[in-house]
Amino acid sequence: MESKAAAMEEAAASDPSYPPLFRRPNPGSNREADQRPAHGNPVFDVPVIDLEDLDPVRLDEVCRGVGLFRIANHGVPSALMDRLLDQSRGLLSLPFESKRTLFSDPMSYIWGTPALGAKVANLNWVEGFHVPLGQLKSKGHDLDSQGSASSFRCLADEYGRHMARIARTLFNVVAANLKLDAKKAASYLSEFDGTFVRVYRYPCCPEADKYFGMNAHTDSSVLSILCQDELGGLQIFHDNQWFDVAPIPGMLTVNLGDMIQVFGNDEYRSVKHRVLTNRSKERISVCYFAFPMEDGLIISSRYKTFTYREWKAQVLEDIKATGDKVGLARFRIGDPS
């Protein structure tokens, strides 16, 4: 088994589809020892929400207690999910330079970190595609045309419409549970404009003890909906410890983001999570991020009033300055920053 794993690691080190830095791991990584990835954590018993028979009381309990749940009976065809994962896997196996040129406006290829400006010391062992759903047709692309990138756009567009339906269904119940003012809440969720899908590949990492697939963070979204392959690697921080979130075929995983914590006045909490690396196997996942309208005011009794455009600008400024997102603390009323 060890020789097989070593052979796979050697093959990954010379894989032309990997970003060059991933083929030449940096032995000088400065990650602190107590922050290195921890394998073998307890598995979290993720609650399940039935979207076909949605119980508002049960959803409220889960959002207050965990902020992470699986959804069953979500109505997304399994064939569509399988095709999206398979085609993503195929496209991401293309040579690095090909991926950089294949996907152009409005889509883009990303690697190292989904956030621009992050420092190399905080390198995430991840690559993928960024797909802004609202721009797929507005840019004049023919979603019915042939070709790998166009075919992928078709799949992403179809998948995004299912995600928008799910996000709206969940949000409407959440808004009622939180007793949000209807006029204020009208701009708190935009199903397409400003929303996006990201396809992630976490390549084999020969130095899995030094790198995360994705560092610990909370999402800036209202909510995020994850479709992942069978490998696993996702962890959440709950009750002061890290738990593994095991994938279950056919189910989607939802986690609450920062925006729902703001307009929910901390009644619901965004979920801190991270992704581990694997020495000999790679992981594929697809995540839909639902956001507020860019210029709609987000109003809270515990946070300063802001637009999502202002939030994004501040997050980007903080990342460029510190290599990390400050996020909620930056906007909390009474915070010295």
Side-chain angles (χ1 to χ4, degrees):
M1 291 295 293
E2 289 185 7
S3 60
K4 182 178 179 180
M8 295 181 71
E9 290 174 20
E10 184 177 349
S14 60
D15 191 327
S17 74
Y18 288 6
L21 189 59
F22 291 0
R23 293 174 239 163
R24 298 188 299 273
N26 175 18
S29 173
N30 66 355
R31 187 180 305 283
E32 296 295 334
D34 62 353
Q35 294 297 311
R36 289 179 181 172
H39 296 265
N41 291 69
V43 176
F44 192 76
D45 184 14
V46 181
V48 176
I49 296 294
D50 187 336
L51 204 67
E52 204 170 69
D53 185 22
L54 188 51
D55 182 349
V57 174
R58 174 60 174 158
L59 181 60
D60 186 60
E61 290 173 349
V62 169
C63 288
R64 291 177 187 277
V66 183
L68 176 107
F69 52 91
R70 304 188 200 275
I71 46 176
N73 296 319
H74 44 67
V76 184
S78 58
L80 173 61
M81 296 165 66
D82 290 342
R83 287 201 311 273
L84 186 60
L85 288 171
D86 287 345
Q87 191 163 125
S88 298
R89 190 175 288 108
L91 288 169
L92 286 165
S93 69
L94 293 172
F96 174 68
E97 293 299 334
S98 298
K99 288 180 288 195
R100 297 180 69 185
T101 57
L102 178 64
F103 282 84
S104 57
D105 189 30
M107 297 191 293
S108 57
Y109 171 68
I110 56 176
W111 71 276
T113 176
L116 298 175
K119 299 177 180 179
V120 174
N122 298 322
L123 177 72
N124 287 322
W125 208 265
V126 63
E127 64 165 352
F129 298 125
H130 174 84
V131 187
L133 295 170
Q135 299 179 42
L136 285 182
K137 290 184 177 179
S138 66
K139 291 290 184 180
H141 294 287
D142 179 5
L143 293 179
D144 295 321
S145 63
Q146 298 299 311
S148 57
S150 295
S151 176
F152 178 80
R153 281 197 294 270
C154 285
L155 283 177
D157 181 67
E158 182 181 357
Y159 184 75
R161 293 181 185 280
H162 280 287
M163 295 299 102
R165 167 182 56 81
I166 293 170
R168 173 55 65 182
T169 300
L170 293 171
F171 177 81
N172 286 348
V173 177
V174 163
N177 283 341
L178 291 173
K179 298 179 173 57
L180 298 180
D181 179 90
K183 289 184 178 180
K184 294 178 182 177
S187 65
Y188 287 175
L189 182 74
S190 174
E191 289 100 319
F192 283 99
D193 293 338
T195 64
F196 55 79
V197 162
R198 277 193 177 148
V199 178
Y200 296 119
R201 177 170 81 156
Y202 300 91
C204 301
C205 181
E207 296 181 299
D209 59 333
K210 293 184 178 179
Y211 294 96
F212 286 106
M214 199 169 291
N215 290 308
H217 67 286
T218 58
D219 291 341
S220 291
S221 59
V222 175
L223 54 84
S224 307
I225 306 174
L226 177 69
C227 172
Q228 55 182 329
D229 67 11
E230 69 284 354
L231 181 61
L234 175 66
Q235 293 187 326
I236 65 164
F237 192 70
H238 182 70
D239 284 345
N240 295 314
Q241 66 173 317
W242 287 101
F243 289 88
D244 291 331
V245 178
I248 294 182
M251 285 199 184
L252 297 168
T253 303
V254 178
N255 69 268
L256 304 186
D258 295 334
M259 295 302 100
I260 209 168
Q261 180 167 337
V262 172
F263 62 65
N265 295 314
D266 291 342
E267 292 185 44
Y268 294 172
R269 296 272 178 166
S270 57
V271 181
K272 187 176 181 180
H273 56 286
R274 67 186 185 187
V275 179
L276 303 184
T277 53
N278 190 295
R279 292 183 183 277
S280 58
K281 295 180 181 179
E282 63 180 37
R283 174 179 182 261
I284 296 284
S285 66
V286 179
C287 195
Y288 169 90
F289 298 88
F291 296 100
M293 294 181 183
E294 289 259 312
D295 294 317
L297 288 178
I298 300 174
I299 301 171
S300 169
S301 63
R302 298 195 176 192
Y303 297 87
K304 304 165 189 175
T305 298
F306 60 88
T307 65
Y308 190 69
R309 187 185 302 277
E310 291 170 335
W311 168 278
K312 287 199 305 182
Q314 183 63 63
V315 167
L316 185 57
E317 182 180 323
D318 289 336
I319 289 174
K320 287 181 176 179
T322 70
D324 206 355
K325 168 183 141 183
V326 177
L328 292 169
R330 177 73 73 189
F331 290 84
R332 191 179 295 276
I333 292 174
D335 188 270
S337 62

